[in-house]
Amino acid sequence: MVRRAMMSSNSSNRPVWNQPESTYPQTGLKVFNSLTKSKVPFVPREGNNVSWYGCGPTVYDAAHMGHACSYVTFDIIRRIMEDYIGYDMSVVMNITDVDDKVILRARQKYLLKQYQDDASLSPEQVVGDVTAAFNEYVNKHFKDFVESRIGKKVATSEDWKEFVAAVDQGKDAAFVASDEKTPMHYNAASTAFWALSVARLHVSEGKARPDEMLTLTNSAEDVLSPWLDRQHGAEVTDQRIFRDLAAFWEKDFFEDMDALNVRRPHVLTRVSEFVDDIVRFVQRIIDNGYAYEVDGSVYFDVGAFDGKNDHFYAKLEPNSKGNSRLLADGEGSLTKEELNKRSLSDFALWKMSKPGEPRWPSPWGEGRPGWHIECSVMASEILGAQIDVHVGGIDLAFPHHDNELCQSEAHFENHQWVNYFMHAGHLNIEGLKMSKSLKNFITIKEALNKYSSRQIRTLFLLSQWNKPLFFDAKSMEEAIVIEKSLSNFFANTTALLR
């Protein structure tokens, strides 16, 4: 049951949010709701029962402290609601094991291992391949600066050295500011170049050994793997490659969560186990007039949805509508901008599988789910057509969570698939969001080698849960002192009570 609207889309160009109501006695809890950008009374739909869905990890690499920040934050909030207030929680979390990132990483790891195991490759060929990969990498990621600073593509060692001098060893302010990933790409190129320089020298002297070629390909992995994938990625047909990588990192993720004392969800879902449900969900959206098929892919029609039947697109971040960079990131690195989409804002519900990608049957041909639809389907299959609480990191708000909302409301033809959206703040390191894509992260295992789980959990308690948190030595020192004081207090109290 819902009562009066808290916001009006007519008067403020903001979506309507309806405050739930209940005849069941309420606790008085208020929560900061991302849908209203304010604290509002928390009222579960069904008495004391709370349905809770949390975005889980995309399992293609080790979990880092940015992940820990989000999962520990919501574990603390869950414990308050479950243990202190006494709500009966139904907690669901997904594992994204079908995704562009999983596909790319699995293929690249597989192809690099095949390359390294190929005994027929001579040192000269390996050096030649890494050189080709290096030049391609540099000219792609630094294209504008290569052209403006040295006036030619990088093709030789001298060209690279000239470019390095032109960007002040990677410290040039304009160069660094050109893209948040520029420092990462520069470091990858520099590491590959120096390994390549040593290998070239030894090859020229006839002293190259097989183990040196392994060192070279490992050092140049970030440069060589994408090159190998472009050469041979379409030839990968063994579906187990994708499943095995995801299963490995899922296990690793839960080892980290257990070590951080994060409670496990009551229900764990995996995308690969819900593909048939996703196909049916997408078909309903098409039938309702909010999606269309083009060449084996299905796209959500934002223009048909936004404003029709009082629907509103981008409830969480309306100012991000049309943000091409965020929209492209949400579609994934394997999805090129489709010219046959009706609008830039339209997004994939179902992707036609290209060679080298996992595939499942569908009415539109063999393909795989889009990223955003996965959470909508898994949450709805377990929790129903409306959910009390949906949680996740703030970086997921647009387009991922906004797309979840619109496609779910398009499927059910309702106006409030989620009643309360809660977003944890970023964990920042050296002024930037900690992120796998930026490679500026500290893994959870690395952090636990230095700090205890209690110290890490204390760190996350020192900042407001939905605001940015800075991870550095100073903040950890403060957390260690506070955690020690609390431990001493409880130890002394326990001793007095004996």
Side-chain angles (χ1 to χ4, degrees), residues 265-283:
H266 299 116
V267 179
L268 181 69
T269 63
R270 298 179 185 87
V271 175
S272 59
E273 298 168 358
F274 280 78
V275 176
D276 290 343
D277 303 290
I278 291 171
V279 169
R280 288 191 293 270
F281 201 97
V282 171
Q283 185 62 58

Side-chain angles (χ1 to χ4, degrees), residues 56-284:
T58 300
V59 282
Y60 70 101
D61 203 344
H64 57 65
M65 285 293 287
H67 299 120
C69 182
S70 180
Y71 292 112
V72 170
T73 292
F74 289 121
D75 180 65
I76 292 168
I77 293 173
R78 172 187 173 181
R79 286 171 184 267
I80 292 170
M81 295 177 69
E82 205 165 35
D83 298 345
Y84 181 71
I85 299 176
Y87 288 115
D88 295 321
M89 308 281 286
S90 297
V91 178
V92 179
M93 188 183 80
N94 76 293
I95 294 291
T96 299
D97 60 350
V98 180
D99 180 77
D100 288 32
K101 293 175 181 176
V102 175
I103 295 167
L104 267 178
R105 182 60 57 86
R107 273 197 332 222
Q108 290 178 3
K109 288 287 186 184
Y110 171 75
L111 291 170
L112 180 64
K113 182 68 165 57
Q114 274 199 325
Y115 186 86
Q116 291 175 330
D117 290 345
D118 188 348
S120 69
L121 294 175
S122 67
E124 290 79 7
Q125 183 172 346
V126 174
V127 167
D129 288 344
V130 175
T131 299
F134 174 83
N135 291 341
E136 184 178 294
Y137 186 91
V138 168
N139 290 313
K140 173 186 175 182
H141 292 295
F142 311 134
K143 180 176 183 295
D144 292 340
F145 280 86
V146 167
E147 292 176 353
S148 64
R149 297 296 175 89
I150 65 173
K152 58 185 174 182
K153 289 185 176 181
V154 171
T156 67
S157 295
E158 294 308 312
D159 292 342
W160 171 249
K161 291 175 182 177
E162 183 181 351
F163 177 73
V164 168
V167 295
D168 191 20
Q169 285 72 47
K171 295 179 289 187
D172 180 89
F175 179 67
V176 172
S178 62
D179 187 283
E180 63 180 3
K181 294 184 180 180
T182 293
M184 176 194 74
H185 290 312
Y186 181 82
N187 289 337
S190 296
T191 300
F193 178 77
W194 291 114
L196 191 54
S197 299
V198 172
R200 280 180 182 145
L201 176 63
H202 289 178
V203 166
S204 68
E205 294 173 345
K207 299 178 180 178
R209 303 188 311 272
D211 62 309
E212 286 184 305
M213 295 303 102
L214 181 62
T215 299
L216 169 61
T217 53
N218 282 334
S219 299
E221 178 178 356
D222 291 340
V223 167
L224 180 61
S225 291
W227 184 82
L228 291 171
D229 188 67
R230 281 188 288 277
Q231 302 280 330
H232 305 291
E235 301 166 13
V236 176
T237 58
D238 188 349
Q239 304 296 292
R240 291 175 299 179
I241 291 169
F242 310 112
R243 292 197 299 270
D244 290 350
L245 179 89
F248 176 87
W249 288 115
E250 178 187 331
K251 179 176 180 292
D252 189 79
F253 169 79
F254 278 111
E255 288 174 357
D256 289 341
M257 293 301 102
D258 291 345
L260 289 170
N261 197 27
V262 172
R263 281 182 182 167
R264 294 205 176 195
H266 299 116
V267 179
L268 181 69
T269 63
R270 298 179 185 87
V271 175
S272 59
E273 298 168 358
F274 280 78
V275 176
D276 290 343
D277 303 290
I278 291 171
V279 169
R280 288 191 293 270
F281 201 97
V282 171
Q283 185 62 58
R284 172 68 67 84

Side-chain angles (χ1 to χ4, degrees), residues 463-490:
S463 292
Q464 187 171 319
W465 66 273
N466 60 346
K467 299 296 183 184
L469 172 66
F470 294 90
F471 179 78
D472 52 32
K474 184 178 179 181
S475 60
M476 279 308 307
E477 288 172 7
E478 182 182 1
I480 290 168
V481 170
I482 292 174
E483 191 275 329
K484 184 177 180 180
S485 297
L486 290 170
S487 295
N488 290 339
F489 170 79
F490 287 116

Side-chain angles (χ1 to χ4, degrees), residues 395-406:
D395 55 316
L396 298 177
F398 185 89
H400 184 54
H401 288 157
D402 268 322
N403 287 355
E404 277 188 59
L405 286 169
C406 71

